Amino acid sequence: VVRELYQNGRLSKSDYRYEYWSTNVMTNLHKTFGDFDLGLMLGTTAESTERLNQTHWGYNFTTPGTVSFTNIASSNKFFDDATSKKRLVGVYGEARAAYKNLAYLTFTGRNDWSSTLPKQNNSFFYPSASLSWVFSDFMRSIHHRLPSWITFAKVRLSAAQVGKDPAPYNLYNVRKYQFEMGNRKPVTNTIKLNADLKPEIKTSYEVGLDMKFLENRLGFDFTYYYNTTKNQAMLVDASAPWTQQWVNSGKINNTGVELMLYGSPVRTRDFQFDLTANFAHNRSTVKELANGVNRVYFSGDSNMPVKVGAVSGGKLGDIFANNLMKRDAQGRVVIGENGLPMPETGNGNQEDYILKHPIGNIQPDLLMSVTPTFTYKGVSLTAMFDMKFGGDIVSGHEGMANDVGTS
């Protein structure tokens, strides 16, 4: 239904422009000493990002049927201009060492300075280190061959940090205005910005094993990882006169395993059948939240009967109902004297009770993909099948159908 205000027509035109400039300057050094192969890389980078969004709109055409801004009175024409600028400067380096192509050691380091952070926090450094050892080649080099059915074996270890800056213009609240009917009016800002935002830092540890068998006819690649993310910038509820505020969150842990199995069951002169299967399992838990924050909800449809978020000590992606039914010790719904289910009040603190009793979680138990490839005389046909097991979903359509008895 068209609003009454726009019954005589409305026109809107938008112009969006995105510019990204980057420069990289680096130098590489390489030297061989006997059985050692050494490398060094040093560099610097500068990035500039600008987004411009301009919108012209107006309503109530003076002459019906003529769609033009010149056909709209000045008092009914409006203009919005949103500009976002960001700059980042970084320096980085990498040192590499290899021994007889059997063992590889790499160190990296990078420091960035970002315009989206306050002066006292705008510099952040993040290093990494990795080590890999080709166990199968090492055993051959000392004349202790592995069983003939083991073609290749490699172990790898790594530890790394990655830094991330927040989006622009989340530090200081400023006055904003807009024009309505030719008059300048202040825009109410309900989000409290944070002049002490810090960069997000993700620290990860990984161990892996890569093995191949039967002249590469069969193999697997296994990875276990553990990472911690702290100082994530996010919106949380705030006290009046604000509705939300930007804060650096506490600490979120991710633990998981990944396994890739691959093989060639059929291999002839003209035809080859390859099969790859990937399995992944991940669990994200919230160890800490920001000071004074006991829960975080993700943005979503306010009409849904649930919210998705997390509490300190819980899993990321827990599902919380807006209302719960009272249940007895056996989990049965308690029916009141009027014959209807009794709502759970949590002894006067309903929200605290709901946060302690999530009804599900969106994280899947297992992600899996299977990729068969058929090759005949150099022509290949590949398909991919993705699967997800576990994880809870809430169907708003089914809920509404249950509510009116049409499910």
Side-chain angles (χ1 to χ4, degrees):
V1 179
V2 178
R3 292 174 56 186
E4 182 177 356
L5 185 67
Y6 304 140
Q7 290 296 323
N8 292 326
R10 182 181 188 274
L11 176 63
S12 176
K13 291 184 178 180
S14 296
D15 177 28
Y16 181 79
R17 186 178 70 198
Y18 173 82
E19 291 184 359
Y20 174 76
W21 297 85
S22 68
T23 59
N24 279 280
V25 179
M26 67 179 68
T27 181
N28 284 278
L29 303 176
H30 178 261
K31 187 68 176 179
T32 301
F33 295 96
D35 293 330
F36 290 91
D37 189 87
L38 306 179
L40 178 66
M41 183 268 290
L42 299 173
T44 180
T45 182
E47 301 176 7
S48 177
T49 305
E50 181 175 351
R51 292 179 173 87
L52 174 66
N53 190 3
Q54 294 180 332
T55 302
H56 301 256
W57 68 279
Y59 64 93
N60 196 7
F61 295 127
T62 303
T63 302
T66 302
V67 182
S68 171
F69 280 113
T70 60
N71 192 34
I72 300 175
S74 298
S75 59
N76 294 335
K77 289 190 288 189
F78 308 91
F79 174 71
D80 293 325
D81 182 7
T83 302
S84 173
K85 295 182 179 181
K86 171 186 172 181
R87 285 188 177 178
L88 183 141
V89 176
V91 294
Y92 52 87
E94 179 185 79
R96 307 176 302 273
Y99 175 71
K100 287 187 175 180
N101 292 326
L102 303 177
Y104 303 86
L105 179 64
T106 303
F107 294 98
T108 70
R110 174 165 175 152
N111 198 99
D112 286 338
W113 291 265
S114 173
S115 65
T116 66
L117 289 163
K119 185 176 181 179
Q120 67 273 20
N121 297 328
N122 70 351
S123 173
F124 49 102
F125 175 74
Y126 43 102
S128 75
S130 63
L131 173 66
S132 62
W133 179 34
V134 184
F135 179 70
S136 54
D137 291 351
F138 171 76
M139 295 299 291
R140 294 186 184 100
S141 69
I142 60 174
H143 308 291
H144 288 281
R145 291 183 176 274
L146 297 173
S148 59
W149 50 273
I150 298 180
T151 308
F152 179 83
K154 182 173 76 172
V155 178
R156 62 184 186 276
L157 303 169
S158 68
Q161 282 190 332
V162 177
K164 179 183 177 182
D165 53 355
Y169 310 128
N170 287 318
L171 302 180
Y172 307 103
N173 286 96
V174 296
R175 294 182 180 273
K176 295 182 179 180
Y177 298 90
Q178 66 182 12
F179 286 87
E180 294 183 2
M181 308 297 290
N183 299 316
R184 190 180 78 159
K185 295 184 178 181
V187 176
T188 302
N189 193 347
T190 61
I191 297 178
K192 182 181 180 181
L193 306 186
N194 187 342
D196 196 35
L197 281 180
K198 300 175 182 178
E200 174 185 319
I201 299 294
K202 179 180 179 180
T203 305
S204 59
Y205 305 93
E206 183 176 301
V207 57
L209 175 63
D210 184 5
M211 296 194 70
K212 300 177 182 179
F213 310 96
L214 305 175
E215 299 298 326
N216 300 327
R217 291 286 296 272
L218 183 66
F220 72 84
D221 189 343
F222 173 80
T223 301
Y224 169 82
Y225 61 87
Y226 172 85
N227 59 61
T228 299
T229 304
K230 65 177 183 179
N231 294 335
Q232 281 185 302
M234 63 174 58
L235 284 171
V236 299
D237 291 343
S239 56
W242 313 101
T243 59
Q244 291 180 303
Q245 61 180 335
W246 280 104
V247 300
N248 287 114
S249 68
K251 183 185 297 183
I252 298 176
N253 288 353
N254 283 280
T255 304
V257 293
E258 296 177 353
L259 175 63
M260 180 174 68
L261 302 176
Y262 51 91
S264 301
V266 179
R267 184 183 293 176
T268 65
R269 179 179 178 181
D270 295 327
F271 177 77
Q272 182 170 324
F273 168 46
D274 299 316
L275 185 65
T276 302
N278 288 278
F279 307 86
H281 170 77
N282 179 80
R283 273 292 171 262
S284 299
T285 57
V286 180
K287 295 300 182 181
E288 301 172 8
L289 288 174
N291 292 334
V293 178
N294 66 332
R295 51 100 176 125
V296 172
Y297 293 138
F298 305 152
S299 59
D301 189 348
S302 59
N303 296 315
M304 288 290 289
V306 299
K307 296 182 178 69
V308 179
V311 298
S312 182
K315 297 178 182 178
L316 193 67
D318 275 341
I319 302 174
F320 305 98
N322 292 340
N323 296 284
L324 291 174
M325 297 294 103
K326 186 181 290 291
R327 297 179 181 272
D328 60 19
Q330 285 74 43
R332 298 170 298 190
V333 175
V334 177
I335 305 299
E337 295 180 355
N338 58 359
L340 298 176
M342 295 181 63
E344 178 59 65
T345 62
N347 294 323
N349 194 339
Q350 185 186 40
E351 184 183 34
D352 184 67
Y353 182 89
I354 288 175
L355 292 177
K356 292 180 179 178
H357 297 82
I359 62 174
N361 188 277
I362 65 174
Q363 296 185 52
D365 298 320
L366 177 67
L367 295 175
M368 179 179 173
S369 68
V370 177
T371 305
T373 301
F374 303 91
T375 303
Y376 180 71
K377 291 187 175 181
V379 179
S380 297
L381 175 65
T382 301
M384 177 178 287
F385 303 91
D386 286 325
M387 290 155 274
K388 181 167 67 174
F389 302 91
D392 299 303
I393 62 173
V394 175
S395 173
H397 290 88
E398 184 176 350
M400 289 186 290
N402 287 333
D403 188 49
V404 296
T406 58
S407 61

